[in-house]
Amino acid sequence: MAVEMKNESNGGIDLYALPEGCIANALSLTSPRDACRLSLVASTFRSAALCDEVWERFFPADYRDVLCRSAEGIELLRSAISMKQLYLHLCDKPVLIDGGSKSFSLEKSSGKKCYMLAARDLTIVWSDTPRYWKWIPLPESRFSVVAELLDVCWLEIRGKIRTSMLSPETNYAAYLVFTSKSRIYGFEYQPAEAEVGISGQEGKKQAVHLDPDGAQRPRHQIMPRWRRGLFGHHLAGRMIYQETLHADQDVQNPRQRGDGWMEVELGEIFIKEGQDVDLEMSLMEVKGGNWKSGLIVEGIEIRPKEGK
């Protein structure tokens, strides 16, 4: 954002001479990023950029209602020294809400809402069966427990959120957030299938790798597959020609996050003004027949799509 300082002797307006309140009002009509940049221009701008009135405009309209859905959020509202401090806190440190089943944060450059649905808030097939999934605490997780995949051949994870909880007129993407203790097994050659869309409507599907090294492997592979029954008995070991899903399409690959976890994009969707329906997200791998293990699921994050 370019700012031209004009002098009255040149027939322009001396911005340095404008009242601080006027400058603050102008800054509130920009963006958090622009306000921080303009605060470096001059001391008058720096002072105006610290005003609570400026930063209040950068918050979602319902941010207080969202924060009041947890004791942590209420305490944060009470103890915040300034609106800028509160804003930056919510950008860097997500707040747990709804009994710890979700986290709420802000996207730093725009102030738009971000949520993560905890693994406990997702529908994970077989997650109530201890021989297939295990619920464990991890110190590095924001949630009390995460879901560890022990051994399944049918992987199905689903989540949903009301679109009215998200910022309108915004393109959002959903991401599976995960890690592993050692290595992820069973996804080496077969991508999973992700889908994001409005409930009751067909969403856009795409293939995703959960194995971080999957992108480097060939798309067609002859590989041994041990088939196992539901009760864990090995039935046969034989060579099977396995062809990956969507071989003619791009496949989403996982990447490292700043918090140490991995994430892979499940899909994206544009949220319209006034829209209030269920946004559904899913991840499935049920076609390959491989037994899978090693995945640790923290949740599904929904945040504004970068560059949109």
Side-chain angles (χ1 to χ4, degrees):
M1 180 177 181
V3 177
E4 181 182 358
M5 299 297 178
K6 294 185 177 180
N7 192 285
E8 290 181 344
S9 62
N10 297 327
I13 300 175
D14 185 358
L15 295 183
Y16 292 112
L18 290 175
E20 183 179 295
C22 182
I23 295 176
N25 185 61
L27 291 179
S28 71
L29 300 176
T30 62
S31 69
R33 177 180 294 170
D34 287 335
C36 289
R37 288 174 176 172
L38 288 169
S39 68
L40 303 176
V41 172
S43 59
T44 305
F45 278 77
R46 185 162 54 252
S47 178
L50 294 175
C51 292
D52 283 347
E53 292 76 10
V54 172
W55 289 91
E56 181 86 31
R57 293 282 292 270
F58 297 150
F59 282 86
D62 62 346
Y63 80 95
R64 289 183 178 273
D65 293 334
V66 176
L67 289 178
C68 285
R69 284 155 60 179
S70 78
E72 179 186 0
I74 293 173
E75 175 59 23
L76 189 59
L77 285 171
R78 187 195 66 79
S79 61
I81 297 174
S82 68
M83 294 305 295
K84 182 179 181 180
Q85 182 203 53
L86 178 61
Y87 181 93
L88 295 178
H89 183 100
L90 289 174
C91 292
D92 297 331
K93 297 180 180 179
V95 174
L96 297 184
I97 61 171
D98 296 348
S101 65
K102 301 178 185 68
S103 71
F104 167 70
S105 60
L106 299 178
E107 199 279 317
K108 184 171 287 187
S109 66
S110 65
K112 294 187 176 182
K113 292 183 279 188
C114 309
Y115 290 93
M116 187 186 293
L117 310 180
R120 276 291 192 192
D121 204 33
L122 305 176
T123 300
I124 304 177
V125 173
W126 298 110
S127 65
D128 58 348
T129 306
R131 69 181 305 150
Y132 299 132
W133 288 87
K134 181 167 65 172
W135 295 96
I136 61 172
L138 278 186
E140 57 267 35
S141 175
R142 68 185 67 178
F143 301 113
S144 60
V145 293
V146 295
E148 180 183 7
L149 172 58
L150 300 180
D151 206 18
V152 297
C153 62
W154 184 288
L155 178 73
E156 182 175 349
I157 301 173
R158 296 183 178 275
K160 65 180 179 180
I161 189 171
R162 296 296 289 184
T163 55
S164 56
M165 292 176 61
L166 305 175
S167 297
E169 299 301 305
T170 302
N171 199 65
Y172 274 87
Y175 302 83
L176 181 76
V177 181
F178 66 97
T179 188
S180 65
K181 285 185 176 179
S182 53
R183 68 180 292 266
I184 297 173
Y185 177 78
F187 299 97
E188 296 91 338
Y189 304 99
Q190 186 77 22
E193 188 174 73
E195 183 175 359
V196 173
I198 299 302
S199 178
Q201 303 177 15
E202 185 174 357
K204 182 180 178 181
K205 297 180 180 180
Q206 64 181 15
V208 301
H209 279 303
L210 295 177
D211 175 16
D213 300 321
Q216 280 69 53
R217 292 194 174 93
R219 294 230 173 175
H220 303 275
Q221 181 82 19
I222 294 191
M223 57 173 289
R225 182 196 302 166
W226 286 95
R227 286 199 175 274
R228 208 185 312 186
L230 287 178
F231 299 100
H233 301 296
H234 293 284
L235 300 179
R238 56 196 176 98
M239 300 302 290
I240 297 177
Y241 180 81
Q242 181 166 324
E243 181 175 325
T244 59
L245 294 172
H246 309 286
D248 59 336
Q249 298 180 10
D250 291 334
V251 181
Q252 291 289 332
N253 295 308
R255 64 180 183 180
Q256 193 78 30
R257 291 163 52 95
D259 58 7
W261 290 77
M262 300 288 291
E263 69 176 19
V264 65
E265 184 182 320
L266 305 179
E268 61 182 90
I269 189 169
F270 186 79
I271 304 301
K272 300 176 183 177
E273 181 74 47
Q275 195 174 33
D276 186 18
V277 293
D278 281 334
L279 171 63
E280 296 184 342
M281 303 141 284
S282 67
L283 177 76
M284 298 184 67
E285 204 298 280
V286 300
K287 298 179 181 178
N290 302 321
W291 284 81
K292 295 164 275 286
S293 63
L295 192 71
I296 297 177
V297 178
E298 183 177 38
I300 293 180
E301 185 172 55
I302 307 98
R303 66 174 189 261
K305 175 85 171 184
E306 294 179 6
K308 298 291 184 179

